[in-house]
Amino acid sequence: EEAVARPAEEAIAPVRGVRGMRSEVVPGGVSIRVRLHPGVDPELALLAVRERLDALRWSLPEGVERPQVSTGGVGRASMVLALGAGDLEAASDWAESVLRPRLEQVDGVARAAILGIPRPEVRVTPDPTRMRLAGITASQLESALRDAIPAAAGGVLSRHGTRYAVTVETGLLGAPEVGAVVVGRSAERAVRVRDVAEVAETWAPREGFSRLDGAPAVGILIHPEAESNLVRMASAVRRVVDALGESDPRFTVRMVE
């Protein structure tokens, strides 16, 4: 918490309109609830906070994913579901492609986060000797990677009465693209990331672990919107879960909290 929450708080504090903050450890990470002064436009504040956290991203500890910023209830999840199946990989795919989009259409749900799914990542391990010979510093390498991965905002899209939570994934495709990023120039030639670092495709550390009836499972954290009616939201979530369970009996979804 200290290594993530404090730098994030220091980045958010100068944003115009911020009145105060409260940090809390939640499943899978750290939640920071930001309070605004009355009359401040929350959408403008959200954009400013997202911009400052994106700039902070590369200085956070290894394994910390891009911060997720949203208006509404993004703190502690109000409901926790567990998804079990004989094939955990298939359950993970189904959770991402079917369950999460359906849950995020429920009135009062701000976001449904999938917990415990292995995610691919590109790991860059600088080589101090090669960096010194090429005259490249760690800050140059960091800046080049940050500039190569543009930030994009997410939000909620409503169309024909259907609500969709929008997350825009941006960035480079894999190790070859990351390795080809130009860091600087040496002796009239471009110095690329692969020239000063080892670049490998691997798996990111899992954000958390879930179990259902003693077996590994996929966890789903449901975050409510601000001022949402939690009782109605929970009832609507149960109806969605029951309907999906009837349509695809391969998977068992159970409310655990």
Side-chain angles (χ1 to χ4, degrees):
E1 179 184 12
E2 186 76 10
V4 176
R6 176 161 293 184
E9 289 174 349
E10 291 174 350
I12 295 170
V15 172
R16 179 176 296 181
V18 170
R19 181 181 180 182
M21 288 170 282
R22 187 179 69 183
S23 298
E24 181 181 12
V25 176
V26 298
V30 173
S31 166
I32 301 176
R33 186 177 295 273
V34 179
R35 298 191 305 278
L36 302 177
H37 287 287
V40 173
D41 186 332
E43 295 300 326
L44 292 179
L46 180 143
L47 291 174
V49 168
R50 179 179 284 120
E51 181 178 311
R52 293 189 69 87
L53 290 180
D54 280 338
L56 175 71
R57 179 183 178 190
W58 295 105
S59 61
L60 294 175
E62 183 179 355
V64 176
E65 294 190 350
R66 182 187 179 199
Q68 298 180 355
V69 186
S70 174
T71 55
V74 294
R76 182 181 297 278
S78 66
M79 297 179 68
V80 180
L81 308 180
L83 167 62
D87 185 342
L88 197 58
E89 185 175 345
S92 300
D93 291 341
W94 185 77
E96 283 283 11
S97 62
V98 178
L99 181 58
R100 184 170 65 84
R102 287 289 298 274
L103 291 173
E104 288 177 342
Q105 292 180 24
V106 172
D107 252 355
V109 173
R111 181 170 60 93
I114 309 300
L115 184 69
I117 296 179
R119 299 182 188 277
E121 73 171 12
V122 176
R123 185 165 299 169
V124 178
T125 307
D127 185 317
T129 301
R130 284 192 279 166
M131 290 178 65
R132 185 171 60 254
L133 291 174
I136 299 297
T137 65
S139 60
Q140 283 179 283
L141 180 60
E142 178 184 331
S143 296
L145 290 171
R146 182 171 59 243
D147 294 343
I149 305 176
V156 177
L157 169 68
S158 296
R159 187 174 185 182
H160 304 304
T162 301
R163 299 166 65 256
Y164 302 91
V166 180
T167 302
V168 182
E169 298 291 345
T170 64
L172 305 168
L173 297 178
E177 290 82 2
V178 173
V181 171
V182 175
V183 183
R185 303 195 70 82
S186 176
E188 302 304 320
R189 73 177 185 87
V191 178
R192 303 181 184 276
V193 171
R194 62 173 175 258
D195 298 325
V196 295
E198 296 296 328
V199 183
E201 294 183 3
T202 182
W203 294 97
R206 294 181 68 176
E207 297 176 350
F209 299 87
S210 301
R211 300 187 75 82
L212 181 62
D213 295 334
V218 176
I220 303 97
L221 310 181
I222 299 179
H223 299 263
E225 294 177 338
E227 311 301 329
S228 65
N229 185 311
L230 297 183
V231 174
R232 290 180 183 173
M233 185 196 75
S235 297
V237 167
R238 287 191 183 94
R239 288 195 294 271
V240 168
V241 167
D242 290 344
L244 290 175
E246 292 176 3
S247 65
D248 196 333
R250 294 178 301 161
F251 307 110
T252 301
V253 183
R254 190 175 302 168
M255 198 170 301
V256 295
E257 185 178 320

